[in-house]
Amino acid sequence: IFLHFGHIFSPFLEKSHPEWAVWLNHFGHETLECCEPSEEVNIIVNSLRTAFEKADLVVQGTLELLIEKGFSDPSSDHIMQYACDSQNEDGVPALLINAAVSIRIDTTPS
């Protein structure tokens, strides 16, 4: 339910986590002009940053593991399988891991 309103927080992530800001506002909903966030908004934005960084770390660790095992170009499904099964010690939601995989694959040059 929270992510339904994620586009509201995307402007606060544009500089620090631009790919995640796009993901939160994937459909280009109109957002409020970015202003100085309140303390309450900062708490939410910092929580989002932490969750997104954890998802990115799970994906990075999974890619390193798969490359070490000899998979030079693992598929999204292969990354998800390992990420959710063995690399997710922090309990990052699969939705965020899936998004991190998509972001990583979409932004990695071929």
Side-chain angles (χ1 to χ4, degrees):
I1 293 172
F2 171 79
L3 290 176
H4 178 76
F5 298 100
H7 65 280
I8 294 169
F9 297 95
S10 67
F12 300 106
L13 295 162
E14 287 176 347
K15 289 182 182 173
S16 64
H17 297 77
E19 294 92 358
W20 284 104
V22 169
W23 182 77
L24 281 173
N25 194 15
H26 181 74
F27 294 105
H29 292 289
E30 189 173 324
T31 59
L32 303 172
E33 281 194 35
C34 201
C35 54
E36 283 300 312
S38 66
E39 184 177 335
E40 292 83 359
V41 169
N42 275 331
I43 291 169
I44 294 169
V45 171
N46 288 333
S47 294
L48 286 170
R49 283 187 182 119
T50 299
F52 296 155
E53 288 167 3
K54 285 181 179 181
D56 287 335
L57 286 173
V58 168
V59 171
Q60 180 61 38
T62 302
L63 284 169
E64 290 171 3
L65 174 71
L66 290 172
I67 289 169
E68 187 178 291
K69 289 182 173 245
F71 298 100
S72 60
D73 190 23
S75 69
S76 298
D77 289 339
H78 198 187
I79 297 167
M80 280 297 295
Q81 177 187 358
Y82 273 82
C84 290
D85 288 348
S86 63
Q87 295 296 304
N88 191 8
E89 296 172 1
D90 287 332
V92 178
L95 172 73
L96 293 183
I97 294 172
N98 190 43
V101 169
S102 296
I103 289 169
R104 180 66 179 256
I105 289 177
D106 290 345
T107 59
T108 302
S110 300

